[in-house]
Amino acid sequence: MSLAKWTVGLLAGMSMLALAAPADAGEVRVTVAEYSAKTGPYFEAVKKEFEAANPGITIKYEVVPWDVLLQKLTTDITAGTNADLSIIGTRWLIDFVQQDVAEPLDSYIKPEFKDRFIDTFLQPSIMNGHTYGLPIAASARAMYYNKELFEKAGIAKPPATWTELQEDARKIKAVGAFGFGLQGKEIETDVYYYYAMWSQGTEILNKDGTSGLSTPGALEAAKLYKSMIDEGLTEPGVTSNNREDVQNLFKQGKVGMMITAPFLSNQIKEEAPNLKYGVAAIPAGPTGARGTYGVTDSIIMFKNSKNKDEAWKLLDFLFTKEQRAKFTQGEGFLPVNKEEAKMDYYVNNADLAAFTALLPDARFAPVIPGWEEIAQITSDAMQKIYLGGDPEAGLKEAAAKANAVLKK
């Protein structure tokens, strides 16, 4: 669903918010985004533990796959049947705030509660001086590489630059594997392109607020990826492969290098325990610039909730060190809680250390209206380029479309 359609639907349903079906006294309804097979069981365990400690409050969860979550929330908000709390992509939050359906949490947040958080991950949920969400999940991106393929290809260490990555990909191709796994379908297709774009010193938005897609650095990044596809250094059929597809190829030992999130480490341990791999920084560009994608998902309270005090108690419980550790470690995310981050699990985890080292270079999705539409424009443009389209013409067209959205 486009953001424009979503906004229209949301506006149409605003008058219905007051008609929300009243929740039972003391009942807190939560819409939970499904991260993995562990998500549901974790929240069911929370329900048992929380209800035992808080007689009179009951928790009711609905676990929803990510690919339909925004559409479900839109439908529920329009009908006035939304839950008290919901996990959302933080990049959606500005639209919820603008439509006045998200409850500011400032009256609940005490200094000692706020101090639990690593500020980098709390900031994206603060808008107009108010905190509207709490970072339920946090992640960054780094480069995974197959140590056995590197050794077989005579590569001593992970590439520091994109030029070195291309050279290494050629060597890996020569030993019968795919050099670089490139995502070209579904969620984060645009993000996979930004890695190369950021290394060229280009940002998603120019300083004047226009799209960065029309810049020379954006063009160089697109040419880089297209040249790797044309040379056969990536897996075939890039536009048919989403993030999970590329990760599966990596877990099967068929891909030498790919960029993704910390949760792949957990998947490898469970699904491919014999795979020898390493985690390194995303390669730099010609001037040493590089960037990783910082991501947070937030949990928010809806303004029409009938049980806000009870809902806040659940939030307070979810963001204790102990609960954060269970969720974060189970799903394979980065810690957002300061005390949790000091635990041996993180301090002694080489994979996670590689991700946290990249946080100073992290960029988050711009907090602007219409971001989802702009991201889709970028993804569509990259797909056309990957399929053989002219990079310069494709980016020029995409920049014009993005700028039209930005001017709304």
Side-chain angles (χ1 to χ4, degrees), residues 224-243:
L224 169 69
Y225 280 5
K226 186 175 186 300
S227 70
M228 285 199 282
I229 293 171
D230 292 346
E231 198 178 333
L233 303 182
T234 69
E235 83 283 5
V238 164
T239 57
S240 298
N241 292 327
N242 61 20
R243 181 173 66 191

Side-chain angles (χ1 to χ4, degrees), residues 19-142:
L19 302 178
D24 294 335
E27 180 183 78
V28 178
R29 295 166 54 228
V30 189
T31 301
V32 172
E34 185 175 41
Y35 291 97
S36 73
K38 296 181 179 180
T39 307
Y42 165 75
F43 278 98
E44 283 303 318
V46 166
K47 171 183 169 68
K48 291 180 182 178
E49 193 173 341
F50 179 82
E51 288 180 353
N54 294 273
I57 304 178
T58 57
I59 308 299
K60 185 177 181 181
Y61 292 116
E62 184 174 8
V63 180
V64 181
W66 267 107
D67 58 353
V68 297
L69 178 61
L70 181 56
Q71 185 172 359
K72 175 181 169 49
L73 291 175
T74 303
T75 302
D76 289 352
I77 291 168
T78 302
T81 57
N82 56 278
D84 301 280
L85 302 170
S86 180
I87 293 176
I88 67 166
T90 304
R91 61 192 181 277
W92 307 339
L93 184 56
I94 187 170
D95 295 288
F96 284 101
V97 171
Q98 288 187 337
Q99 304 308 328
D100 199 32
V101 297
E103 175 75 9
L105 301 176
D106 307 273
S107 62
Y108 296 99
I109 296 175
K110 305 303 180 190
E112 58 271 21
F113 179 85
K114 186 176 181 181
D115 193 52
R116 295 180 192 176
F117 294 91
I118 296 170
D119 192 56
T120 300
F121 295 128
L122 185 61
Q123 283 302 315
S125 295
I126 299 175
M127 297 178 188
N128 305 319
H130 297 289
T131 303
Y132 287 96
L134 301 173
I136 193 75
S139 181
R141 304 291 182 263

Side-chain angles (χ1 to χ4, degrees), residues 115-343:
D115 193 52
R116 295 180 192 176
F117 294 91
I118 296 170
D119 192 56
T120 300
F121 295 128
L122 185 61
Q123 283 302 315
S125 295
I126 299 175
M127 297 178 188
N128 305 319
H130 297 289
T131 303
Y132 287 96
L134 301 173
I136 193 75
S139 181
R141 304 291 182 263
M143 191 181 74
Y144 286 75
Y145 62 98
N146 184 310
K147 290 183 176 181
E148 288 187 347
L149 286 177
F150 267 46
E151 184 177 352
K152 192 175 180 181
I155 304 169
K157 59 183 180 180
T161 67
W162 284 102
T163 300
E164 290 179 9
L165 183 144
Q166 282 180 286
E167 294 170 355
D168 291 345
R170 292 185 186 107
K171 294 175 183 176
I172 293 168
K173 179 186 177 184
V175 298
F178 307 131
F180 181 63
L182 178 58
Q183 176 191 329
K185 181 184 176 185
E186 296 176 2
I187 187 170
E188 290 193 19
T189 292
D190 62 316
V191 175
Y192 223 110
Y193 164 62
Y194 301 146
Y195 304 134
M197 196 175 83
W198 286 325
S199 75
Q200 294 288 334
T202 295
E203 300 297 336
I204 295 171
L205 298 180
N206 297 320
K207 290 182 179 179
D208 63 1
T210 58
S211 171
L213 294 176
S214 61
T215 62
L219 179 58
E220 288 303 311
K223 286 180 177 178
L224 169 69
Y225 280 5
K226 186 175 186 300
S227 70
M228 285 199 282
I229 293 171
D230 292 346
E231 198 178 333
L233 303 182
T234 69
E235 83 283 5
V238 164
T239 57
S240 298
N241 292 327
N242 61 20
R243 181 173 66 191
E244 285 67 33
D245 295 327
V246 181
Q247 288 178 169
N248 286 337
L249 288 172
F250 187 85
K251 285 181 281 189
Q252 292 162 13
K254 296 178 180 179
V255 168
M257 298 169 281
M258 75 164 295
I259 299 170
T260 192
F263 46 68
L264 180 57
S265 296
N266 277 17
Q267 293 178 21
I268 291 171
K269 287 178 176 65
E270 293 180 6
E271 301 169 32
N274 296 322
L275 184 71
K276 294 180 174 61
Y277 73 97
V279 181
I282 294 170
T287 64
R290 64 157 52 94
T292 186
Y293 187 51
V295 183
T296 65
D297 297 324
S298 298
I299 186 165
I300 67 169
M301 184 187 298
F302 285 105
K303 187 159 277 190
N304 66 336
S305 167
K306 298 296 189 292
N307 292 316
K308 292 177 182 174
D309 290 343
E310 292 89 342
W312 175 257
K313 282 188 177 182
L314 177 59
L315 290 177
D316 185 41
F317 181 79
L318 287 172
F319 286 93
T320 57
K321 172 186 170 183
E322 294 73 22
Q323 290 302 323
R324 286 277 74 210
K326 290 177 186 177
F327 178 78
T328 305
Q329 292 173 25
E331 298 288 1
F333 292 123
L334 297 177
V336 302
N337 179 297
K338 291 177 183 175
E339 291 303 312
E340 180 196 0
K342 296 176 184 176
M343 295 172 67

